[in-house]
Amino acid sequence: MAIASNSNCKPCCSKKGTCSKKFKKVVPYEEMERLMNVYGALKAVRNRSAKSSKNEDGNKEGEGKGCQVKRESIKRKFYRWFPDLEQRFFRTEDGQYQPIHGHEQEVSYRKQMREKSFESVAQKRARANQRNNYLKKERGELPRGDQPLPELISSSGAVYIPPPPPSKKVAFEAAIITSCLVSDDEDESSIIDSFFYASGSIFDEVNEEFYGEELPSSSSSSSTNNNNSSTTLSFDVATTEAVLSCLQSWIRIVDMDPQLLEKTVLVPWVFELLGDSTNGGFELAVDVVVELLRTYPSHRRGNEGLILSIIPKAMALGQDYDSVVGRGVVVSPFQKSIQEEDEDGMRGYCRIFTEMGESYSSLILSHEEMNQGALVELVLRCSAIPDPDIAGITLHFWYRFVMGLEELEPFEYRQIKIDSFSGQLTRLLSICTNLLRYPVGVEDLSADRLEDIEVNRSYFADTIDDCCRLLGGDAVLRNVGGALEEECHRVAALPQNRQPSDWHGIEAYLYAIQTIAMYVPSDEPQVIPFVMGLIPQLPTQVPLLRSTACRAVGKFAPWLGRHPSYLQPLLPYLAQGLSISKCAYSSAVAIREICENCQTMGDAALQLYDGIVAARDLQRGSAGSGEDFVIDLKNELEVLEGVCKAISTKLLNDSSISSDVINGYINHLAQPIMASMKVIASPEYSASPKQISAELSRLTVLVQHLRLPKQSSLSRSDFILSLMKESWPMLDSVSKKHPRDFTCGEKLCRLHKHAMRECGAASYAPMMEPLTDQIVKNFSLSLLSPYLYLASICVSEFGRNPAYSQLLFEMMANLSTSVFNSCRTADDLTAHPDVVEEFFYLAGRMTNYCPGPLVQSPLLNSLLQYAALGMKLDHRDANRGTLNFLEATVSYSLKLRTANTRNAYEEASLAALEKAILAEGEPLVINLAQALLGDLPAYRLDHGSGSIAGVLFHLNMLCPQLLLQWIQPPLVSAPEHAKSAFLGSLQNQSSRRDEFNSNVRKFTSVCERSRKLQNSGDERRQ
């Protein structure tokens, strides 16, 4: 596979968010089994029938301990089957995952993907069978995996290294064997990498026989080609840099035959320049080698000759070797740069070895012994460089290395491979833990520099997490915990006056321990008790140390829930941290997590929050303004959320609590918030937007997180409904005090959203009419996009109920009038892109949930005209919202057209839709064509719901002749061959959506290339 990411950049997006590394929400094992049984895999699954064998105890291998192995194997298989879980599924309140696009569509999608994968696997297996048949015919048997190929052993017993084939036409045996290269596809991962295995231990340590007595230097500037003729390249620095820059561009852009690069003298010359980091053009030489490694990875057929020529040259840069002339050990350029603390040299060699490890990952993970550990060792040495910026270059390699090991099959072989690298992984763990240390004097650094350090620490913490996945949480915890105890003994032995300042090591180990909390069982008996006993004894005057300690307490809240005796000294420690700015947030989060996991925290948490409320009221009374809070608002909301959850746990678990006690707890939490709301809502009180937003946020947390038991006289829905009714006049009042303040509007809409969803549509129905009136009124005054978003939520919650269709349509019509009156021109739309985005998302939801009143009204034509204007807006989210509405409209029309039966209402809707599309469709199609050509924004080409390809695909299914008629004139400037192919795909009505998307991508790619060439020509003529 192509190396898509730049491995020499710090791993950010590749490891977070929708990264395939792991899901933030843990999927229960039973849910994994259900999803696998219902929806199946994305790829063709191998049919493996495990043989039933017995062990020494007479039990089958699948029983006893093997059951746990199978369970873990199924978990790993689940994440291979569902790499896009968070993109295609959503989690319901009961913990189940349901497909976003519907059950039938998800089943159909996975079936199509399996069929495509099966075709690919069949082709690969056919090639493998052809190779095996050839080997059987020529040798009489297949080569064993534990010995070199028979014919590669000479009569003297020396291993014969086959030279690269002189041309593709020669039927050289090794060239045929290259079909066995390790593939990223799991169905070929077990095929022997015979070519590289036959070449011996290609990662062996370099000796003097490779380069001669000394490593290459720039002074010699000579290179030996394949014909053993010597060619000397000697340039000045400017010419050297020009040649290197040109060579890098060739490798990156031109699809060159690797055999050409294998024979050229330029590649050896580049490695000569790398022999000394002081050479002119060193950095450009590094860029060339990195580009060379990235462009010609080991899993691609045809690269083997070039790879065999690169590996010894690259390894020579990093491995020391013994001199045969009595000079001792010859230090490699990499080691020399480390000894001399040459930052440019260390960075350059680190980039090379890291890229080499990523590009040759199939060789590293091959089950043939080629001394792959030597390359992993070089990357490990790069990780051990004290400079975190340089060491961080290697982290993406370790991430991919761990992913590759996790994907190896079968499980037994995977474990063998992990064990073979366990020593290096353990050292990597120690290295990353040391790199977590704050620099001395960190207290005096600027905020920007401190933020950079925290980002680097998060990357190293992710790598520690990776080690945990392979080595196991227990092993990693023992390793880090033992180092923490040693560090504590070392600091304790220091003089008393030095101990408070020597905290960096303890903090780094605590940071590492809290990183792996999810892998530590809740009954861990050794390290965690030591950590929890240590934390209250730490110096209180070091905010950064205290912040990490508080995070550790929060991460191990489940452990504390099972060992409540450790909580007593920790709670004051956390409470005191709320008043220290640099650790207040960590303390607040830890309190929330303890409240979530410890069932005995109810009254203690409520008492803590009472103290916060009392201090806030005292400060408000003395200062008068109420602008400044005792603690930061986000920290207070974390504590309030924890208090609500702790009280909820107490009420739900104790069935003996009376209704009066339950009502007492509710009033205890709600009364201070409602009292503050009454004050700021009064006409004579001049409340600031900050104060209004704070009270709205507190009320939202209460609505979201307070749960009530069933035996209560007041159900949760009744509680929320009564709370909203009581606060409604106050909410209306505060919304008028700062009508155009975005934060106030957003907090108010968020409160309504959560109240509606937590209460339920049926219970919240009495509030719908006043809510829609307030939405229309507030939006007409403010033109704030959160009100449009709240309107979308109303449509999604009530739209499928016919009783509310007319009410929702009237809301939509009134909001449309405000938008059309306020945003008439392109400049107006440019000034309000968020309004354009949310407005068209609202229109799209109306089409999806309650389309009848909308499509049969003149408003639909106005929306289509407005969409033609909105498509020209150069804003990603606004463009996406517009396309979402258009695709929803056309797909609904197509749904009505293809339905087997239609009632009179649906017939009228279809007629209205077709009339609107006929009247307004041409300018929309012209805009879509211009977006494909690059003349208009094309942020959403073929991805998700709402894309250019999606609108064209549904239009082509609905009215193919009209689409061809409309789209041909604007495509007149497109390259002729690309235009013909694209129009041909439109005429092919049997093409699937993915095929059509592929044709759209190809067309836009050709158009983009043609436009760039034309612009380049225009610049040269000027």
Side-chain angles (χ1 to χ4, degrees):
M1 66 180 176
I3 305 298
S5 62
N6 186 353
S7 66
N8 295 315
C9 295
K10 295 176 182 178
C12 183
C13 296
S14 61
K15 297 194 65 174
K16 300 181 183 302
T18 62
C19 156
S20 61
K21 176 182 172 184
K22 65 186 177 218
F23 301 106
K24 297 297 181 185
K25 295 180 179 178
V26 178
V27 182
Y29 178 77
E30 293 74 18
E31 182 64 6
M32 290 183 182
E33 288 187 318
R34 187 189 71 82
L35 289 172
M36 294 169 73
N37 292 332
V38 173
Y39 296 104
L42 275 178
K43 291 186 176 182
V45 183
R46 287 169 289 177
N47 185 15
R48 284 178 173 165
S49 56
K51 296 180 180 180
S52 177
S53 58
K54 293 186 177 182
N55 54 25
E56 295 178 357
D57 299 328
N59 299 323
K60 291 183 179 180
E61 290 181 348
E63 298 176 356
K65 186 177 180 180
C67 293
Q68 181 64 23
V69 173
K70 179 181 178 183
R71 186 184 181 96
E72 295 300 320
S73 179
I74 288 177
K75 288 182 180 180
R76 282 182 288 269
K77 185 183 292 185
F78 170 79
Y79 290 112
R80 292 199 301 272
W81 284 22
F82 292 86
D84 52 356
L85 180 69
E86 293 185 334
Q87 286 75 39
R88 299 193 65 86
F89 290 78
F90 68 95
R91 188 173 184 175
T92 62
E93 291 185 356
D94 57 359
Q96 282 196 341
Y97 283 80
Q98 299 296 335
I100 294 175
H101 305 292
H103 173 77
E104 294 181 359
Q105 185 172 349
E106 185 66 26
V107 171
S108 175
Y109 164 77
R110 290 182 170 271
K111 182 179 179 182
Q112 293 178 9
M113 296 298 292
R114 284 194 296 271
E115 289 174 354
K116 289 178 62 177
S117 176
F118 182 83
E119 293 173 0
S120 175
V121 171
Q123 295 174 2
K124 294 174 182 177
R125 286 174 176 166
R127 290 195 298 268
N129 290 335
Q130 182 180 7
R131 184 264 310 175
N132 290 341
N133 293 336
Y134 172 83
L135 295 177
K136 286 181 179 179
K137 179 180 177 182
E138 295 297 320
R139 304 181 183 137
E141 62 178 359
L142 290 176
R144 288 173 51 192
D146 57 349
Q147 64 181 24
L149 299 178
E151 58 270 29
L152 298 181
I153 304 296
S154 66
S155 57
S156 62
V159 178
Y160 170 65
I161 308 298
S167 69
K168 288 186 175 180
K169 296 181 180 179
V170 179
F172 182 59
E173 181 179 281
I176 298 175
I177 297 176
T178 56
S179 64
C180 304
L181 286 174
V182 174
S183 169
D184 283 333
D185 193 298
E186 64 176 1
D187 294 287
E188 285 191 351
S189 62
S190 59
I191 299 177
I192 299 175
D193 189 355
S194 304
F195 181 86
F196 291 107
Y197 176 62
S199 301
S201 297
I202 58 177
F203 294 103
D204 271 343
E205 293 185 4
V206 181
N207 54 36
E208 242 180 295
E209 296 177 0
F210 179 74
Y211 274 127
E213 183 176 341
E214 299 289 347
L215 288 173
S217 63
S218 59
S219 58
S220 61
S221 298
S222 61
S223 176
T224 305
N225 60 15
N226 290 334
N227 298 323
N228 295 326
S229 60
S230 179
T231 303
T232 301
L233 298 177
S234 180
F235 308 120
D236 57 39
V237 174
T239 306
T240 297
E241 292 181 347
V243 172
L244 291 171
S245 180
C246 181
L247 179 58
Q248 182 191 10
S249 300
W250 285 354
I251 296 172
R252 184 177 65 252
I253 299 173
V254 181
D255 187 15
M256 288 192 292
D257 190 331
Q259 293 185 12
L260 176 63
L261 288 169
E262 181 186 350
K263 296 175 182 178
T264 182
V265 298
L266 289 174
V267 172
W269 171 68
V270 171
F271 276 98
E272 289 180 10
L273 293 174
L274 294 173
D276 191 342
S277 61
T278 62
N279 287 337
F282 174 81
E283 292 185 7
L284 280 174
V286 171
D287 293 338
V288 169
V289 173
V290 167
E291 200 69 52
L292 186 67
L293 293 167
R294 183 178 300 145
T295 307
Y296 299 95
S298 62
H299 61 266
R300 286 186 183 172
R301 295 177 179 87
N303 296 344
E304 57 279 352
L306 178 61
I307 291 172
L308 285 177
S309 67
I310 288 176
I311 286 177
K313 297 179 178 65
M315 297 296 287
L317 298 173
Q319 291 183 325
D320 304 335
Y321 64 93
D322 296 329
S323 173
V324 298
V325 293
R327 297 185 181 180
V329 176
V330 177
V331 178
S332 66
F334 175 45
Q335 184 61 33
K336 182 181 178 183
S337 68
I338 294 176
Q339 293 174 353
E340 297 176 354
E341 297 183 356
D342 177 10
E343 182 177 339
D344 291 337
M346 290 189 293
R347 186 182 300 275
Y349 298 127
C350 182
R351 292 180 59 201
I352 291 173
F353 299 143
T354 301
E355 191 66 49
M356 190 176 175
E358 293 191 29
S359 297
Y360 298 164
S361 59
S362 64
L363 299 181
I364 293 175
L365 299 177
S366 172
H367 63 277
E368 301 294 353
E369 176 54 43
M370 292 175 278
N371 196 27
Q372 300 98 315
L375 177 54
V376 179
E377 187 67 29
L378 276 180
V379 181
L380 186 63
R381 287 171 58 192
C382 294
S383 300
I385 294 174
D387 187 339
D389 290 331
I390 298 177
I393 294 173
T394 66
L395 298 186
H396 191 256
F397 162 78
W398 294 115
Y399 166 64
R400 294 186 55 180
F401 179 64
V402 170
M403 292 290 291
L405 286 172
E406 286 184 324
E407 292 171 357
L408 292 178
E409 294 289 350
F411 174 77
E412 291 77 10
Y413 168 65
R414 181 194 314 151
Q415 197 57 49
I416 291 173
K417 203 68 178 175
I418 291 174
D419 291 342
S420 67
F421 290 109
S422 61
Q424 290 165 318
L425 289 170
T426 303
R427 289 164 54 203
L428 174 66
L429 174 65
S430 300
I431 289 170
C432 289
T433 305
N434 286 328
L435 288 169
L436 289 175
R437 292 177 183 244
Y438 282 114
V440 177
V442 65
E443 301 88 350
D444 302 326
L445 296 179
S446 65
D448 291 341
R449 177 58 183 147
L450 187 59
E451 182 179 356
D452 292 340
I453 292 174
E454 292 295 348
V455 170
N456 280 335
R457 278 159 52 94
S458 69
Y459 294 152
F460 291 115
D462 285 344
T463 304
I464 293 174
D465 184 283
D466 293 338
C467 293
C468 242
R469 290 155 54 193
L470 295 181
L471 299 176
D474 289 340
V476 173
L477 183 64
R478 287 195 302 269
N479 185 293
V480 180
L484 173 61
E485 290 193 41
E486 293 179 3
E487 180 69 10
C488 290
H489 292 316
R490 185 191 68 80
V491 173
L494 295 175
Q496 195 73 23
N497 60 337
R498 288 182 52 190
Q499 291 181 9
S501 61
D502 200 342
W503 54 268
H504 306 76
I506 294 176
E507 190 278 336
Y509 292 120
L510 286 176
Y511 191 97
I513 288 174
Q514 61 93 18
T515 296
I516 62 173
M518 64 178 296
Y519 300 98
V520 178
S522 57
D523 56 350
E524 201 281 328
Q526 296 179 345
V527 178
I528 305 305
F530 171 77
V531 171
M532 295 304 156
L534 171 68
I535 287 176
Q537 306 176 38
L538 294 175
T540 58
Q541 67 272 29
V542 184
L544 293 176
L545 174 60
R546 187 165 193 150
S547 176
T548 300
C550 291
R551 280 200 298 268
V553 172
K555 293 294 184 181
F556 288 98
W559 186 93
L560 289 169
R562 298 190 61 174
H563 304 81
S565 59
Y566 286 89
L567 271 174
Q568 188 59 39
L570 291 173
L571 291 178
Y573 185 85
L574 296 176
Q576 294 166 9
L578 291 172
S579 60
I580 304 173
S581 60
K582 290 187 177 180
C583 63
Y585 182 69
S586 299
S587 300
V589 171
I591 291 171
R592 174 180 57 78
E593 291 176 330
I594 288 177
C595 291
E596 291 175 357
N597 292 277
C598 302
Q599 298 184 2
T600 60
M601 279 293 296
D603 292 330
L606 188 59
Q607 184 180 1
L608 171 64
Y609 189 68
D610 285 344
I612 296 175
V613 172
R616 187 179 69 230
D617 292 341
L618 180 63
Q619 184 181 33
R620 180 181 299 168
S622 60
S625 66
E627 279 284 338
D628 299 323
F629 305 125
V630 177
I631 64 173
D632 191 79
L633 178 62
K634 69 174 182 178
N635 302 333
E636 181 186 338
L637 295 179
E638 291 285 345
V639 175
L640 178 57
E641 179 182 340
V643 172
C644 290
K645 291 181 177 179
I647 295 297
S648 300
T649 301
K650 178 182 178 64
L651 297 181
L652 293 172
N653 291 342
D654 191 351
S655 58
S656 62
I657 296 181
S658 64
S659 297
D660 292 339
V661 175
I662 294 175
N663 293 334
Y665 278 115
I666 294 175
N667 293 331
H668 198 137
L669 288 171
Q671 192 274 332
I673 301 175
M674 298 303 294
S676 297
M677 285 289 295
K678 288 179 181 178
V679 172
I680 65 175
S682 59
E684 62 275 7
Y685 189 85
S686 178
S688 67
K690 183 177 179 181
Q691 286 178 278
I692 295 173
S693 299
E695 297 304 331
L696 292 173
S697 298
R698 294 183 182 109
L699 194 58
T700 302
V701 170
L702 192 63
V703 167
Q704 273 187 282
H705 301 292
L706 185 60
R707 301 288 191 270
L708 300 179
K710 294 181 179 180
Q711 71 268 22
S712 171
S713 60
L714 189 67
S715 68
R716 185 159 186 260
S717 299
D718 293 338
F719 159 66
I720 295 175
L721 193 60
S722 64
L723 190 67
M724 295 303 295
K725 286 181 178 179
E726 181 182 354
S727 61
W728 197 272
M730 294 178 280
L731 297 176
D732 188 54
S733 174
V734 297
S735 67
K736 296 176 182 178
K737 293 199 172 188
H738 300 280
R740 288 183 171 81
D741 186 84
F742 187 88
T743 304
C744 287
E746 183 182 35
K747 298 301 183 184
L748 179 61
C749 293
R750 186 168 177 267
L751 170 62
H752 284 301
K753 178 189 74 171
H754 286 294
M756 189 187 311
R757 286 183 168 172
E758 297 292 339
C759 190
S763 300
Y764 208 73
M767 308 299 295
M768 267 302 294
E769 188 170 349
L771 178 59
T772 54
D773 290 342
Q774 191 180 66
I775 290 173
V776 171
K777 181 176 59 176
N778 289 356
F779 179 74
S780 63
L781 291 174
S782 65
L783 206 69
L784 294 177
S785 59
Y787 293 108
L788 296 175
Y789 173 71
L790 179 58
S792 297
I793 299 300
C794 292
V795 173
S796 63
E797 294 295 323
F798 291 89
R800 300 200 187 279
N801 189 341
Y804 294 94
S805 297
Q806 190 61 34
L807 176 65
L808 294 173
F809 171 70
E810 292 174 359
M811 177 187 68
M812 177 71 197
N814 291 328
L815 292 173
S816 300
T817 300
S818 299
V819 172
F820 295 158
N821 291 336
S822 303
C823 300
R824 297 174 177 271
T825 66
D827 291 339
D828 294 333
L829 267 66
T830 303
H832 300 89
D834 56 329
V835 173
V836 177
E837 175 196 0
E838 294 297 348
F839 177 66
F840 280 112
Y841 269 121
L842 169 61
R845 286 199 178 183
M846 284 291 297
T847 306
N848 289 327
Y849 286 85
C850 50
L854 175 62
V855 300
Q856 295 187 34
S857 73
L859 179 59
L860 179 61
N861 291 65
S862 301
L863 288 174
L864 292 175
Q865 294 172 10
Y866 204 65
L869 183 62
M871 294 171 68
K872 298 178 181 180
L873 184 61
D874 191 6
H875 188 277
R876 181 184 299 274
D877 294 330
N879 191 260
R880 182 176 61 180
T882 308
L883 292 172
N884 177 271
F885 161 66
L886 292 176
E887 186 170 347
T889 303
V890 179
S891 61
Y892 177 64
S893 180
L894 183 63
K895 177 183 176 181
L896 292 178
R897 170 74 68 84
T898 56
N900 295 328
T901 58
R902 292 188 294 269
N903 56 37
Y905 190 81
E906 291 173 338
E907 288 286 358
S909 297
L910 178 59
L913 275 167
E914 292 181 344
K915 182 179 178 181
I917 291 174
L918 183 64
E920 312 298 341
E922 185 172 5
L924 295 171
V925 172
I926 291 174
N927 285 348
L928 293 172
Q930 291 179 342
L932 294 178
L933 294 173
D935 298 329
L936 285 180
Y939 293 112
R940 300 279 288 188
L941 190 61
D942 63 346
H943 178 71
S945 175
S947 63
I948 296 173
V951 177
L952 289 174
F953 179 79
H954 289 104
L955 273 175
N956 194 42
M957 300 292 290
L958 181 67
C959 48
Q961 298 302 322
L962 272 178
L963 179 60
L964 279 175
Q965 176 185 335
W966 290 339
I967 204 171
Q968 288 187 26
L971 293 183
V972 66
S973 61
E976 191 61 35
H977 66 286
K979 179 173 67 174
S980 300
F982 177 64
L983 294 178
S985 67
L986 290 177
Q987 295 172 349
N988 181 14
Q989 294 293 308
S990 61
S991 63
R992 299 195 306 267
R993 174 69 183 268
D994 56 345
E995 295 175 353
F996 184 80
N997 288 352
S998 177
N999 292 329
V1000 170
R1001 285 195 300 270
K1002 292 177 183 177
F1003 177 71
T1004 54
S1005 177
V1006 173
C1007 292
E1008 182 181 7
R1009 191 182 307 119
S1010 175
R1011 187 174 66 256
K1012 287 182 178 179
L1013 290 174
Q1014 182 178 356
N1015 293 340
S1016 178
D1018 293 342
E1019 291 176 359
R1020 286 197 297 269
R1021 283 190 292 272
Q1022 292 175 359

